[in-house]
Short mmCIF file of all heavy atoms in Angstrom, two decimals:
data_model
loop_
_atom_site.label_atom_id
_atom_site.label_comp_id
_atom_site.label_asym_id
_atom_site.label_seq_id
_atom_site.Cartn_x
_atom_site.Cartn_y
_atom_site.Cartn_z
N GLN A 1 0.85 -1.19 0.00
CA GLN A 1 0.00 0.00 0.00
C GLN A 1 0.88 1.23 0.00
O GLN A 1 1.65 1.46 0.93
CB GLN A 1 -0.93 0.01 1.21
CG GLN A 1 -1.95 1.12 1.18
CD GLN A 1 -3.05 0.92 2.21
OE1 GLN A 1 -2.92 0.16 3.16
NE2 GLN A 1 -4.18 1.60 2.00
N ALA A 2 0.75 1.99 -1.07
CA ALA A 2 1.48 3.25 -1.20
C ALA A 2 0.60 4.37 -0.65
O ALA A 2 -0.63 4.23 -0.60
CB ALA A 2 1.83 3.50 -2.66
N PRO A 3 1.20 5.48 -0.26
CA PRO A 3 0.41 6.59 0.29
C PRO A 3 -0.67 7.05 -0.69
O PRO A 3 -0.42 7.25 -1.88
CB PRO A 3 1.46 7.69 0.48
CG PRO A 3 2.74 6.96 0.67
CD PRO A 3 2.65 5.76 -0.21
N GLY A 4 -1.89 7.16 -0.18
CA GLY A 4 -2.99 7.62 -0.99
C GLY A 4 -3.58 6.59 -1.94
O GLY A 4 -4.46 6.91 -2.74
N LYS A 5 -3.07 5.36 -1.86
CA LYS A 5 -3.55 4.31 -2.77
C LYS A 5 -4.12 3.14 -1.99
O LYS A 5 -3.86 2.98 -0.80
CB LYS A 5 -2.42 3.83 -3.68
CG LYS A 5 -1.90 4.89 -4.63
CD LYS A 5 -0.91 4.30 -5.61
CE LYS A 5 -0.45 5.33 -6.63
NZ LYS A 5 0.51 4.76 -7.61
N GLN A 6 -4.89 2.33 -2.68
CA GLN A 6 -5.46 1.14 -2.05
C GLN A 6 -4.41 0.04 -1.94
O GLN A 6 -3.44 0.00 -2.72
CB GLN A 6 -6.66 0.63 -2.87
CG GLN A 6 -7.87 1.52 -2.80
CD GLN A 6 -9.08 0.89 -3.47
OE1 GLN A 6 -8.95 0.10 -4.40
NE2 GLN A 6 -10.27 1.22 -2.99
N ARG A 7 -4.62 -0.84 -0.98
CA ARG A 7 -3.73 -1.99 -0.85
C ARG A 7 -3.93 -2.90 -2.05
O ARG A 7 -5.07 -3.16 -2.47
CB ARG A 7 -4.04 -2.76 0.45
CG ARG A 7 -3.03 -3.79 0.82
CD ARG A 7 -3.29 -4.36 2.20
NE ARG A 7 -3.19 -3.36 3.25
CZ ARG A 7 -3.21 -3.64 4.54
NH1 ARG A 7 -3.34 -4.91 4.95
NH2 ARG A 7 -3.10 -2.69 5.44
N GLU A 8 -2.83 -3.39 -2.62
CA GLU A 8 -2.91 -4.21 -3.81
C GLU A 8 -2.08 -5.48 -3.65
O GLU A 8 -1.07 -5.50 -2.95
CB GLU A 8 -2.40 -3.43 -5.04
CG GLU A 8 -0.95 -3.02 -4.96
CD GLU A 8 -0.46 -2.33 -6.24
OE1 GLU A 8 -1.24 -2.14 -7.18
OE2 GLU A 8 0.75 -2.00 -6.28
N LEU A 9 -2.53 -6.51 -4.35
CA LEU A 9 -1.80 -7.77 -4.34
C LEU A 9 -0.49 -7.62 -5.11
O LEU A 9 -0.48 -7.08 -6.22
CB LEU A 9 -2.65 -8.87 -4.98
CG LEU A 9 -1.94 -10.21 -5.19
CD1 LEU A 9 -1.65 -10.88 -3.86
CD2 LEU A 9 -2.78 -11.12 -6.09
N VAL A 10 0.59 -8.12 -4.52
CA VAL A 10 1.87 -8.16 -5.21
C VAL A 10 2.15 -9.58 -5.71
O VAL A 10 2.46 -9.79 -6.88
CB VAL A 10 3.01 -7.72 -4.26
CG1 VAL A 10 4.36 -7.85 -4.94
CG2 VAL A 10 2.78 -6.29 -3.78
N ALA A 11 2.02 -10.55 -4.81
CA ALA A 11 2.29 -11.94 -5.17
C ALA A 11 1.59 -12.86 -4.18
O ALA A 11 1.39 -12.50 -3.03
CB ALA A 11 3.79 -12.22 -5.17
N ARG A 12 1.25 -14.04 -4.67
CA ARG A 12 0.56 -15.03 -3.83
C ARG A 12 1.13 -16.40 -4.14
O ARG A 12 1.50 -16.69 -5.28
CB ARG A 12 -0.94 -15.02 -4.11
CG ARG A 12 -1.73 -16.05 -3.33
CD ARG A 12 -3.17 -16.12 -3.80
NE ARG A 12 -3.88 -14.88 -3.54
CZ ARG A 12 -4.46 -14.14 -4.49
NH1 ARG A 12 -4.41 -14.53 -5.75
NH2 ARG A 12 -5.10 -13.04 -4.17
N ILE A 13 1.20 -17.25 -3.11
CA ILE A 13 1.64 -18.63 -3.31
C ILE A 13 0.69 -19.54 -2.55
O ILE A 13 0.32 -19.28 -1.41
CB ILE A 13 3.11 -18.83 -2.85
CG1 ILE A 13 3.60 -20.24 -3.18
CG2 ILE A 13 3.30 -18.51 -1.37
CD1 ILE A 13 5.12 -20.39 -3.05
N ILE A 14 0.24 -20.59 -3.23
CA ILE A 14 -0.67 -21.52 -2.57
C ILE A 14 0.08 -22.79 -2.18
O ILE A 14 1.27 -22.94 -2.52
CB ILE A 14 -1.90 -21.83 -3.44
CG1 ILE A 14 -1.51 -22.49 -4.76
CG2 ILE A 14 -2.69 -20.56 -3.68
CD1 ILE A 14 -2.73 -22.90 -5.58
N SER A 15 -0.60 -23.66 -1.48
CA SER A 15 0.08 -24.78 -0.84
C SER A 15 0.76 -25.73 -1.81
O SER A 15 1.74 -26.40 -1.44
CB SER A 15 -0.91 -25.56 0.04
OG SER A 15 -2.02 -25.98 -0.72
N ASP A 16 0.29 -25.78 -3.06
CA ASP A 16 0.94 -26.68 -4.03
C ASP A 16 2.12 -26.00 -4.74
O ASP A 16 2.72 -26.58 -5.64
CB ASP A 16 -0.07 -27.21 -5.05
CG ASP A 16 -0.61 -26.12 -5.98
OD1 ASP A 16 -0.25 -24.94 -5.81
OD2 ASP A 16 -1.40 -26.46 -6.87
N GLY A 17 2.40 -24.75 -4.34
CA GLY A 17 3.53 -24.04 -4.92
C GLY A 17 3.17 -23.12 -6.07
O GLY A 17 4.04 -22.38 -6.56
N THR A 18 1.94 -23.13 -6.50
CA THR A 18 1.51 -22.25 -7.58
C THR A 18 1.61 -20.80 -7.15
O THR A 18 1.20 -20.44 -6.05
CB THR A 18 0.06 -22.57 -7.99
OG1 THR A 18 -0.02 -23.94 -8.40
CG2 THR A 18 -0.38 -21.67 -9.14
N THR A 19 2.16 -19.97 -8.03
CA THR A 19 2.35 -18.55 -7.72
C THR A 19 1.57 -17.65 -8.68
O THR A 19 1.31 -18.01 -9.83
CB THR A 19 3.83 -18.18 -7.78
OG1 THR A 19 4.35 -18.50 -9.08
CG2 THR A 19 4.63 -18.94 -6.73
N THR A 20 1.23 -16.48 -8.16
CA THR A 20 0.55 -15.45 -8.94
C THR A 20 1.23 -14.13 -8.66
O THR A 20 1.59 -13.86 -7.51
CB THR A 20 -0.94 -15.35 -8.53
OG1 THR A 20 -1.57 -16.62 -8.70
CG2 THR A 20 -1.66 -14.32 -9.39
N TYR A 21 1.40 -13.31 -9.70
CA TYR A 21 2.06 -12.02 -9.55
C TYR A 21 1.24 -10.91 -10.19
O TYR A 21 0.56 -11.11 -11.20
CB TYR A 21 3.44 -12.04 -10.21
CG TYR A 21 4.41 -12.98 -9.58
CD1 TYR A 21 4.57 -14.28 -10.07
CD2 TYR A 21 5.19 -12.60 -8.47
CE1 TYR A 21 5.46 -15.16 -9.48
CE2 TYR A 21 6.08 -13.48 -7.89
CZ TYR A 21 6.21 -14.75 -8.40
OH TYR A 21 7.09 -15.62 -7.81
N ALA A 22 1.35 -9.73 -9.61
CA ALA A 22 0.81 -8.55 -10.27
C ALA A 22 1.63 -8.29 -11.53
O ALA A 22 2.84 -8.54 -11.56
CB ALA A 22 0.90 -7.35 -9.33
N ASP A 23 0.98 -7.79 -12.54
CA ASP A 23 1.67 -7.52 -13.80
C ASP A 23 2.86 -6.59 -13.60
O ASP A 23 3.89 -6.72 -14.27
CB ASP A 23 0.71 -6.90 -14.82
CG ASP A 23 -0.29 -7.91 -15.36
OD1 ASP A 23 -0.04 -9.13 -15.22
OD2 ASP A 23 -1.32 -7.49 -15.92
N SER A 24 2.74 -5.65 -12.68
CA SER A 24 3.78 -4.64 -12.48
C SER A 24 5.07 -5.22 -11.90
O SER A 24 6.11 -4.56 -11.95
CB SER A 24 3.25 -3.53 -11.57
OG SER A 24 2.86 -4.06 -10.31
N VAL A 25 5.02 -6.43 -11.34
CA VAL A 25 6.22 -7.00 -10.71
C VAL A 25 6.69 -8.29 -11.39
O VAL A 25 7.73 -8.84 -11.01
CB VAL A 25 6.00 -7.26 -9.20
CG1 VAL A 25 5.50 -5.99 -8.51
CG2 VAL A 25 5.05 -8.42 -8.97
N LYS A 26 5.95 -8.76 -12.37
CA LYS A 26 6.34 -10.01 -13.05
C LYS A 26 7.74 -9.88 -13.64
O LYS A 26 8.08 -8.88 -14.26
CB LYS A 26 5.34 -10.33 -14.16
CG LYS A 26 4.05 -10.93 -13.66
CD LYS A 26 3.11 -11.26 -14.83
CE LYS A 26 1.80 -11.84 -14.32
NZ LYS A 26 0.85 -12.10 -15.42
N GLY A 27 8.54 -10.92 -13.41
CA GLY A 27 9.90 -10.91 -13.92
C GLY A 27 10.89 -10.23 -13.01
O GLY A 27 12.11 -10.33 -13.22
N ARG A 28 10.40 -9.52 -12.00
CA ARG A 28 11.31 -8.81 -11.07
C ARG A 28 11.21 -9.37 -9.65
O ARG A 28 12.20 -9.39 -8.92
CB ARG A 28 10.96 -7.33 -11.03
CG ARG A 28 11.10 -6.62 -12.37
CD ARG A 28 10.95 -5.11 -12.23
NE ARG A 28 9.64 -4.71 -11.73
CZ ARG A 28 9.45 -3.99 -10.62
NH1 ARG A 28 10.47 -3.58 -9.91
NH2 ARG A 28 8.21 -3.66 -10.24
N PHE A 29 10.02 -9.79 -9.24
CA PHE A 29 9.80 -10.29 -7.89
C PHE A 29 9.56 -11.79 -7.92
O PHE A 29 8.97 -12.32 -8.87
CB PHE A 29 8.57 -9.62 -7.26
CG PHE A 29 8.72 -8.16 -6.93
CD1 PHE A 29 9.81 -7.41 -7.38
CD2 PHE A 29 7.76 -7.52 -6.17
CE1 PHE A 29 9.93 -6.06 -7.09
CE2 PHE A 29 7.86 -6.18 -5.85
CZ PHE A 29 8.95 -5.45 -6.33
N THR A 30 9.97 -12.46 -6.84
CA THR A 30 9.75 -13.89 -6.71
C THR A 30 9.27 -14.20 -5.30
O THR A 30 9.94 -13.82 -4.33
CB THR A 30 11.02 -14.69 -6.99
OG1 THR A 30 11.50 -14.39 -8.31
CG2 THR A 30 10.74 -16.19 -6.91
N ILE A 31 8.14 -14.88 -5.20
CA ILE A 31 7.63 -15.31 -3.90
C ILE A 31 7.98 -16.78 -3.70
O ILE A 31 7.96 -17.58 -4.64
CB ILE A 31 6.10 -15.09 -3.79
CG1 ILE A 31 5.61 -15.37 -2.37
CG2 ILE A 31 5.33 -15.93 -4.81
CD1 ILE A 31 4.16 -14.96 -2.12
N SER A 32 8.33 -17.13 -2.48
CA SER A 32 8.64 -18.52 -2.16
C SER A 32 8.27 -18.79 -0.71
O SER A 32 8.07 -17.87 0.07
CB SER A 32 10.13 -18.81 -2.39
OG SER A 32 10.94 -18.00 -1.56
N ARG A 33 8.14 -20.07 -0.37
CA ARG A 33 7.81 -20.43 1.00
C ARG A 33 8.71 -21.57 1.45
O ARG A 33 9.00 -22.48 0.67
CB ARG A 33 6.33 -20.79 1.14
CG ARG A 33 5.84 -21.94 0.30
CD ARG A 33 4.32 -22.00 0.25
NE ARG A 33 3.72 -22.44 1.51
CZ ARG A 33 2.41 -22.42 1.75
NH1 ARG A 33 1.57 -21.98 0.82
NH2 ARG A 33 1.93 -22.84 2.90
N ASP A 34 9.15 -21.48 2.69
CA ASP A 34 9.96 -22.52 3.30
C ASP A 34 9.14 -23.09 4.45
O ASP A 34 9.09 -22.50 5.53
CB ASP A 34 11.28 -21.93 3.79
CG ASP A 34 12.24 -22.99 4.32
OD1 ASP A 34 11.78 -24.05 4.79
OD2 ASP A 34 13.46 -22.75 4.28
N ASN A 35 8.51 -24.22 4.22
CA ASN A 35 7.63 -24.79 5.23
C ASN A 35 8.40 -25.20 6.49
O ASN A 35 7.87 -25.11 7.60
CB ASN A 35 6.88 -26.00 4.67
CG ASN A 35 5.87 -25.61 3.62
OD1 ASN A 35 5.38 -24.48 3.59
ND2 ASN A 35 5.54 -26.53 2.72
N ALA A 36 9.64 -25.60 6.33
CA ALA A 36 10.43 -26.02 7.48
C ALA A 36 10.71 -24.85 8.42
O ALA A 36 10.83 -25.02 9.63
CB ALA A 36 11.73 -26.64 7.02
N LYS A 37 10.81 -23.65 7.85
CA LYS A 37 11.08 -22.45 8.65
C LYS A 37 9.83 -21.62 8.90
O LYS A 37 9.92 -20.55 9.52
CB LYS A 37 12.13 -21.58 7.95
CG LYS A 37 13.50 -22.24 7.84
CD LYS A 37 14.52 -21.30 7.21
CE LYS A 37 15.90 -21.95 7.16
NZ LYS A 37 16.92 -21.06 6.56
N ASN A 38 8.68 -22.10 8.41
CA ASN A 38 7.42 -21.37 8.58
C ASN A 38 7.55 -19.92 8.09
O ASN A 38 7.09 -18.98 8.75
CB ASN A 38 6.96 -21.39 10.04
CG ASN A 38 6.72 -22.79 10.52
OD1 ASN A 38 6.23 -23.64 9.78
ND2 ASN A 38 7.07 -23.06 11.77
N THR A 39 8.19 -19.76 6.95
CA THR A 39 8.50 -18.42 6.45
C THR A 39 8.18 -18.32 4.97
O THR A 39 8.43 -19.26 4.20
CB THR A 39 9.98 -18.09 6.69
OG1 THR A 39 10.26 -18.16 8.10
CG2 THR A 39 10.32 -16.69 6.20
N VAL A 40 7.65 -17.18 4.59
CA VAL A 40 7.43 -16.84 3.19
C VAL A 40 8.33 -15.67 2.84
O VAL A 40 8.48 -14.74 3.64
CB VAL A 40 5.95 -16.48 2.94
CG1 VAL A 40 5.75 -16.01 1.51
CG2 VAL A 40 5.07 -17.69 3.20
N TYR A 41 8.90 -15.71 1.65
CA TYR A 41 9.85 -14.68 1.23
C TYR A 41 9.33 -13.96 -0.01
O TYR A 41 8.55 -14.51 -0.80
CB TYR A 41 11.20 -15.31 0.88
CG TYR A 41 11.82 -16.08 2.02
CD1 TYR A 41 11.71 -17.47 2.08
CD2 TYR A 41 12.55 -15.43 3.01
CE1 TYR A 41 12.28 -18.19 3.12
CE2 TYR A 41 13.13 -16.14 4.05
CZ TYR A 41 12.99 -17.51 4.10
OH TYR A 41 13.56 -18.22 5.13
#
C-alpha cells in the first residue's frame, strides 16, 4: 500500500507451490515459501 492508494496484491503462493504475480512485478519479484522455517519470502 502506497500513500494515498489502495492496498494491492503483489504476489501469492498456494500450498501446491503455484504462484501469482501482479503484472507490475512479473519478472522482477519472486515469492517462495519454506515450510520447514514457517517463512514466506
